[in-house]
Amino acid sequence: MISLGIDIGGTGCKCVAFRDDGVQLADAYAEYPLTAGQVNLPPDILTSSVFRVIAQCAAELPNKEEVTVITVSSFGESFVAVDEAGEPLTDILLYFGNTESEEFSRLVQSVGEEKFMQIAKILPDASYSLSKMLYTQKIAPRPVWKYLFIAGFLTYRLTGMACADVSLACRSLLYDVEKTEWSEELLSACSIEKSTLPQVLPTGSRIGTILPEIAAQLGLPRDVSVVIGPHDQIVNALGAGVQVSGDAVDTSGTCECMTTLFSAIPQGLDFQKNNFACVPYLDLRGYVTYAYNISAGSVVRWYRDTLAEHLRSEAQQENKSVYDLINQQCPAQPTKLMVLPFLQGMGGTPDVNANATGLIAGLTTQTRLPDIYRAILEGVTFEMRYNQEKLGENGVYLERLFACGGGARSAVWLQIKADILGCEIIPVQAEETGAMGSAILGLAAVTGQSPFAIAKRFWRYGDVVRPIPEHREIYNQKYEFYKRLRNLYVKGWCQL
């Protein structure tokens, strides 16, 4: 039995084929032909890109007749508005696109921030689907039949069935998390017709069989099942190994996101006021939230491209990555520098300040470039500890952290994470945890097994990294200074 996992990102999409014993058989990736900074994605480009990676992945399989199921997962907040014929009405507004408007601001003021937080369990913001829906209503050339979230749009293309999963519905600002249904109260207040929203199904539900003409186009069997997948952070957590309260996965890429599992919705609204979401997890195992920093891997890349440019020729001569040389030169001990890592602004959780900038404090004539590199890793990790502290204030605790993404390949960074966060770090060996999580959900849907029982055949880990006690003590003191410096920044010093 072969399961295809589709992972749709904001810059490209991938398809990975897995056998039911966890062995990866084939993969394909396509980057969207977009210009830098483009915030709209034409639906036909998305569709053709996804169909192309499915077809390429299937073509690599010598036994593609064994493909049993396709599961589609995607980034959140965005959607495709379609008419009654299923034709897209506008381009996709990507999740990082800003649709802030007076109309949306008046709506939030009218409904009340607290009402959104009580029902949708998130702080209302123009990045979520609702703001994009209001904008789409004004520019669509014809009435909207359905707003299909990205994973749901692709499963609609594959099956003709319009649906969504719970986790992507939670990114809309219109879903009642506790009642697990579209909120009639919010829909009425926002003038969004319930009929324009897709049916919400439990994550990982089988929604039908692939359309015969699409199966032929993609070179797949005609009886392949199609499963609705969730927000990419959910399948990433499953693929990494998050399964009990206190587990979290830390994905270090351009941005850093820590997805933490907890058992019950925190009481009061402090959780939401800190910009933390509350999203049902798989198999009724509780809820997850996303703690993230938009300036993480991008800051490390800035160091590579500006301060470590001289290492490129050496890396080429030794057939190594520049990062390999940077990590080799990195000091083994904590630095005396302090970095605020907001080179792209302070964005994510728990604070948003687009005017924030980066800072390196403590420079002397003895400072060397490798010291700055380690201080950057420390600063980025201090920001995640700040998130960890805010989560803890609301009863959400981190006990075990799975690490994946580019940052997980750095032994130096993993040790810094363990020392600053004070927990064991488990490096995930799989490269494609999102696509793998999707494939696991597909197998669960067609076999009736728990996704976690199936996932045990897929999970692969490196050696556990544990805190070094003397480093932990140093970082505890440095963290207190980080908070004071950060607080000064939030209060406006960065705008002087």
Side-chain angles (χ1 to χ4, degrees):
M1 186 183 299
I2 296 174
S3 178
L4 302 184
I6 313 297
D7 184 8
I8 302 174
T11 57
C13 57
K14 64 190 69 169
C15 175
V16 187
F18 291 91
R19 208 166 58 201
D20 56 5
D21 61 357
V23 174
Q24 181 175 320
L25 301 175
D27 67 274
Y29 174 78
E31 185 173 307
Y32 313 133
L34 304 177
T35 58
Q38 186 173 335
V39 298
N40 61 299
L41 172 61
D44 59 335
I45 288 181
L46 174 65
T47 302
S48 62
S49 298
V50 173
F51 279 17
R52 183 163 68 252
V53 295
I54 295 174
Q56 289 175 350
C57 192
E60 291 184 24
L61 299 171
N63 50 345
K64 61 183 178 182
E65 68 279 357
E66 294 183 19
V67 175
T68 304
V69 59
I70 298 174
T71 304
V72 186
S73 302
S74 75
F75 59 89
E77 291 84 59
S78 301
F79 55 82
V80 180
V82 299
D83 62 18
E84 285 189 300
E87 292 300 316
L89 295 168
T90 65
D91 282 353
I92 299 164
L93 294 168
L94 292 172
Y95 55 91
F96 50 80
N98 182 12
T99 53
E100 185 73 61
S101 65
E102 289 186 11
E103 179 185 12
F104 179 73
S105 298
R106 286 196 302 269
L107 174 63
V108 172
Q109 186 175 12
S110 172
V111 175
E113 282 192 346
E114 288 198 358
K115 181 61 68 176
F116 280 108
M117 289 189 284
Q118 289 165 355
I119 296 175
K121 302 301 179 187
I122 43 179
L123 183 68
D125 182 88
S127 65
Y128 295 112
S129 308
L130 174 58
S131 178
K132 296 173 172 62
M133 289 174 179
L134 296 176
Y135 175 75
T136 299
Q137 285 181 337
K138 292 189 295 185
I139 66 170
R142 299 180 298 283
V144 175
W145 173 64
K146 293 290 181 187
Y147 295 100
L148 298 176
F149 302 113
I150 301 303
F153 172 67
L154 267 301
T155 55
Y156 175 73
R157 283 283 183 253
L158 291 168
T159 66
M161 305 292 291
C163 65
D165 100 294
V166 173
S167 66
L168 287 176
C170 284
R171 307 303 289 173
S172 68
L173 270 182
L174 295 170
Y175 191 74
D176 190 319
V177 174
E178 290 188 277
K179 293 182 178 179
T180 64
E181 61 184 23
W182 293 116
S183 169
E184 298 282 0
E185 183 176 358
L186 292 180
L187 288 172
S188 176
C190 301
S191 299
I192 300 290
E193 294 292 333
K194 186 177 180 180
S195 62
T196 63
L197 298 173
Q199 178 187 9
V200 178
L201 300 175
T203 300
S205 295
R206 180 187 180 278
I207 58 175
T209 303
I210 191 170
L211 293 168
E213 62 272 22
I214 301 298
Q217 178 183 343
L218 301 180
L220 293 173
R222 294 166 63 94
D223 60 349
V224 172
S225 294
V226 178
V227 171
I228 183 68
H231 194 190
D232 49 15
Q233 300 298 346
I234 299 288
V235 283
N236 194 54
L238 173 62
V242 172
Q243 56 181 319
V244 297
S245 183
D247 281 352
V249 57
D250 180 76
T251 306
S252 301
T254 302
C255 302
E256 182 168 14
C257 181
M258 189 163 63
T259 303
T260 306
L261 177 60
F262 51 99
S263 58
I265 298 174
Q267 297 299 307
L269 298 178
D270 286 347
F271 193 70
Q272 292 91 315
K273 288 177 180 178
N274 279 317
N275 210 21
F276 294 123
C278 191
V279 183
Y281 194 48
L282 306 167
D283 244 11
L284 302 177
R285 294 200 176 202
Y287 299 84
V288 293
T289 195
Y290 315 125
Y292 62 99
N293 173 24
I294 63 169
S295 296
S298 59
V299 186
V300 179
R301 189 172 63 230
W302 168 81
Y303 176 90
R304 181 199 67 184
D305 294 342
T306 57
L307 302 181
E309 177 67 23
H310 62 286
L311 295 176
R312 286 192 181 276
S313 59
E314 183 180 344
Q316 290 174 350
Q317 291 173 3
E318 297 184 19
N319 195 27
K320 292 181 177 179
S321 161
V322 175
Y323 287 122
D324 291 336
L325 297 184
I326 294 173
N327 283 313
Q328 288 173 14
Q329 297 176 4
C330 183
Q333 301 298 315
T335 72
K336 294 184 179 180
L337 303 175
M338 181 62 71
V339 169
L340 293 183
F342 307 123
L343 273 66
Q344 293 180 301
M346 183 183 289
T349 55
D351 301 301
V352 177
N353 185 338
N355 295 316
T357 55
L359 174 73
I360 303 175
L363 293 170
T364 72
T365 56
Q366 304 302 309
T367 303
R368 297 294 179 262
L369 291 179
D371 301 323
I372 296 175
Y373 172 67
R374 183 177 179 103
I376 286 172
L377 299 184
E378 292 171 346
V380 168
T381 308
F382 279 135
E383 183 62 17
M384 296 315 292
R385 178 164 172 178
Y386 189 77
N387 276 275
Q388 178 189 19
E389 182 176 290
K390 292 300 178 182
L391 288 172
E393 291 173 1
N394 289 276
V396 176
Y397 300 104
L398 172 62
E399 298 175 5
R400 184 172 63 162
L401 188 65
F402 298 93
C404 59
R409 292 191 287 271
S410 169
V412 171
W413 200 354
L414 291 178
Q415 187 62 62
I416 289 173
K417 287 178 188 287
D419 295 340
I420 290 178
L421 299 177
C423 64
E424 64 178 29
I425 310 292
I426 304 171
V428 177
Q429 292 186 332
E431 292 285 338
E432 305 294 351
T433 49
M436 188 171 79
S438 294
I440 291 168
L441 282 179
L443 291 170
V446 297
T447 64
Q449 293 179 270
S450 163
F452 297 98
I454 294 172
K456 289 178 181 178
R457 305 197 292 267
F458 287 70
W459 293 330
R460 305 283 189 277
Y461 303 112
D463 294 334
V464 176
V465 182
R466 294 182 173 84
I468 298 173
E470 52 268 34
H471 288 185
R472 177 71 175 160
E473 184 175 345
I474 293 170
Y475 282 135
N476 282 342
Q477 296 175 12
K478 286 193 68 174
Y479 175 63
E480 293 304 315
F481 178 63
Y482 179 85
K483 284 196 294 183
R484 292 197 298 272
L485 196 59
R486 187 188 190 281
N487 186 53
L488 184 64
Y489 231 49
V490 171
K491 288 185 176 179
W493 173 58
C494 59
Q495 300 179 37
L496 294 178

